Amino acid sequence: MDAIKAINERVSVSQLTGPDITMAQKETLFQAALRAADHAWLRPSRYITISGKARSILGEVFLRSTPEWEGLSDERQQKFRGMLQRAPLVIVAVTRLQDHPKVPRDELRLSTAAGIQNMLTAAWALGLGAIWRTGDMVHNKDVRQALGLIANDVITGFVYIGHASGIPKQPPVMLSSDFVSEWNGETLVKTND
Ligand SMILES: Cc1cc2nc3c(=O)[nH]c(=O)nc-3n(C[C@H](O)[C@H](O)[C@H](O)COP(=O)(O)O)c2cc1C
């Protein structure tokens, strides 16, 4: 698929199903992620794949690390258990923070964010669906421990990837003139003025 078409037409897909993502598809996604902009080439991003049975094992951690989980209704408990089953593949995008004289820590996370966006676009170009999610589990210490994260690691996203189980929504029409101005050397001028 043409790159501009994939960038402009991609939408997030939340209803995802099998079949499993192939090795070749995964490698395409990883290579796309690894081409993210990266100030000073510090390589701050790590990607952890979760598929098959591992999804329910981590789903159990999601549930049991939730305060007072035992008091939750069966339905709520199943919701936590099933969170990662919403796609055949979940990629946890992790940023490994480090100090650098020229690269603020925020920029390390921005690089991982760019990697995630590249994966979303590459998934779309491959005919797959994907959605970037975060939520409370991003900060959960039991989840962090289960995934083997170290103190400097932060989870920047859970990227759910699969096959769209319905027809993906249409991208919204957005007028660039609503968001873009020209600075003429003195002041901002709307491009449609
Ligand atoms: C940092 C970040 C975190 C997000 N977290 C969630 C989330 O936890 N759950 C969710 O449904 N959407 C989340 N989203 C939004 C979706 O990924 C998506 O961008 C949104 O539904 C808009 O859809 P679109 O990509 O088709 O425009 C998040 C987006 C970003 C950038």
Side-chain angles (χ1 to χ4, degrees):
M1 187 186 283
D2 172 64
I4 301 297
K5 186 175 162 67
I7 290 168
N8 288 345
E9 294 184 1
R10 180 208 64 82
V11 290
S12 296
V13 183
S14 57
Q15 305 295 316
L16 297 162
T17 185
D20 284 345
I21 308 306
T22 66
M23 292 293 283
Q25 288 170 326
K26 281 192 261 189
E27 186 55 21
T28 300
L29 299 176
F30 301 146
Q31 289 299 325
L34 295 174
R35 275 314 305 136
D38 174 5
H39 194 171
W41 277 11
L42 294 180
R43 308 302 187 220
S45 304
R46 301 289 181 275
Y47 298 97
I48 301 170
T49 65
I50 305 175
S51 58
K53 200 167 155 243
R55 293 172 303 160
S56 55
I57 295 172
L58 192 62
E60 197 65 31
V61 178
F62 277 17
L63 171 64
R64 287 169 187 254
S65 62
T66 300
E68 296 166 22
W69 67 273
E70 282 157 306
L72 296 176
S73 66
D74 281 357
E75 195 187 343
R76 290 282 297 154
Q77 290 194 13
Q78 287 309 332
K79 187 166 175 247
F80 281 101
R81 286 197 174 98
M83 268 183 184
L84 296 160
Q85 319 257 8
R86 291 177 291 181
L89 174 67
V90 181
I91 299 177
V92 189
V94 175
T95 309
R96 185 152 291 176
L97 300 173
Q98 59 171 283
D99 292 319
H100 186 279
K102 288 195 175 146
V103 184
R105 284 182 162 214
D106 281 357
E107 293 188 4
L108 301 172
R109 290 202 88 185
L110 294 175
S111 180
T112 307
I116 294 173
Q117 188 69 34
N118 274 5
M119 279 200 288
L120 296 176
T121 308
W124 185 262
L126 288 171
L128 301 171
I131 182 166
W132 177 354
R133 296 183 192 271
T134 48
D136 293 344
M137 295 303 152
V138 157
H139 308 288
N140 186 290
K141 69 175 177 25
D142 296 335
V143 171
R144 293 173 51 84
Q145 188 181 30
L147 292 173
L149 303 189
I150 62 172
N152 284 354
D153 288 343
V154 286
I155 297 176
T156 298
F158 292 101
V159 186
Y160 288 66
I161 300 167
H163 300 260
S165 66
I167 298 171
K169 66 189 182 213
Q170 283 295 310
V173 175
M174 296 174 80
L175 296 177
S176 53
S177 55
D178 288 343
F179 301 91
V180 181
S181 308
E182 182 184 358
W183 187 70
N184 64 7
E186 229 176 90
T187 188
L188 290 179
V189 183
K190 292 302 294 176
T191 50
N192 56 355
D193 282 349

